[in-house]
Amino acid sequence: ANTAGAFAVLETDSSYVMTAIASRILEDDLLWKFKPHELVTTAWAFASLDVFNEQLMASIAVRVEDGDYLATFKPQELSNLAWAFAHLGAGSEEVMATFAKRLLADGFLDTFSPREVTATALAYARAGHWDEELLSEVVRLTAQEGFLAQLNVKNMISLAWALSCFGIATEELMLDIAAQMLRPGVLQKL
C-alpha cells in the first residue's frame, strides 16, 4: 500500500510497477490483511495514476462487501475509496450501493467534513449512480449554515457540478455557491 501510494504521490509513469504491485497483492491475498487506510491508499494510488487493474478493483469490491469491514472506515477513507472506484470507471451500481448503505447507516454521513461530502457527491456523479436517499442527505448537509464557507473554490465547483449531474442543484444552492465565490479574495485562489 505504501509503495503504491509513493508512486502516486511522485506521479511516476509506472504502470508496470503498479501491475506488479497488484499481482503481489492478489497472489498473497493481502487485501484481507489490509487495514482500511492501506486498502484505500492502494485504490487511490491506482486511480491517481490512471492505472486500472480490473482484478484488483473487483477484489477490493469483494473485500469491502465482506462482513462489517466497511463499518471500520473513517469518512475520508470511504470518500476516497468511492472517488477511486468512480475515477477508474469501476463504480458499478452494486459497489456504489454498498458504499451508500454505509454512508447512510448510523448518521455516518453527518460525521463527514464539507470536503468529504463534496468528494462523495462527486464520486457518485462520476459513477453515474443515483441514490435518492444519499443525495437527499448531501443536499441537506450542503444547506447547513457555514457548509459552503468551509469549501475552497475547486470544491464548490465540484459540488455544483455533481449536484447538477443529478438535476438537484437548486437555484438557492447555486446562488449560495456564487455568493461564496464572490467573497473578496476567493476567486483569486483559482
Side-chain angles (χ1 to χ4, degrees):
N2 290 336
T3 303
F7 276 95
V9 168
L10 294 172
E11 298 178 8
T12 305
D13 179 17
S14 55
S15 57
Y16 65 94
V17 172
M18 298 304 283
T19 299
I21 290 171
S23 294
R24 172 73 197 285
I25 289 169
L26 294 168
E27 287 170 10
D28 294 344
D29 279 333
L30 295 178
L31 290 177
W32 299 93
K33 298 173 187 168
F34 278 1
K35 295 176 181 144
H37 75 274
E38 294 167 328
L39 183 131
V40 171
T41 298
T42 300
W44 171 85
F46 277 81
S48 294
L49 292 170
D50 292 317
V51 176
F52 178 61
N53 185 296
E54 186 174 0
Q55 188 178 358
L56 177 66
M57 294 309 289
S59 294
I60 290 173
V62 169
R63 177 62 181 115
V64 299
E65 291 174 351
D66 183 58
D68 63 350
Y69 183 63
L70 202 54
T72 65
F73 280 54
K74 296 175 185 166
Q76 184 177 8
E77 292 166 342
L78 188 49
S79 68
N80 286 349
L81 187 59
W83 172 84
F85 269 87
H87 183 79
L88 289 171
S92 68
E93 192 167 322
E94 293 80 19
V95 76
M96 297 307 280
T98 298
F99 295 158
K101 183 178 175 184
R102 172 60 186 127
L103 289 162
L104 293 166
D106 305 319
F108 186 51
L109 190 60
D110 288 324
T111 67
F112 280 43
S113 71
R115 193 209 65 76
E116 293 160 348
V117 170
T118 299
T120 301
L122 185 59
Y124 276 81
R126 285 184 122 179
H129 181 73
W130 174 267
D131 184 291
E132 193 169 324
E133 187 179 358
L134 176 60
L135 293 171
S136 293
E137 285 298 299
V138 168
V139 169
R140 180 187 63 79
L141 290 170
T142 62
Q144 290 181 346
E145 183 73 32
F147 180 93
L148 294 175
Q150 296 180 55
L151 297 177
N152 64 29
V153 174
K154 180 182 174 189
N155 290 150
M156 282 188 258
I157 292 168
S158 294
L159 178 63
W161 179 82
L163 297 179
S164 294
C165 286
F166 294 114
I168 58 174
T170 64
E171 184 177 346
E172 180 182 356
L173 175 62
M174 297 307 283
L175 289 172
D176 287 348
I177 289 172
Q180 289 295 323
M181 292 178 77
L182 293 174
R183 287 186 334 216
V186 171
L187 290 177
Q188 287 77 14
K189 296 177 183 175
L190 276 175

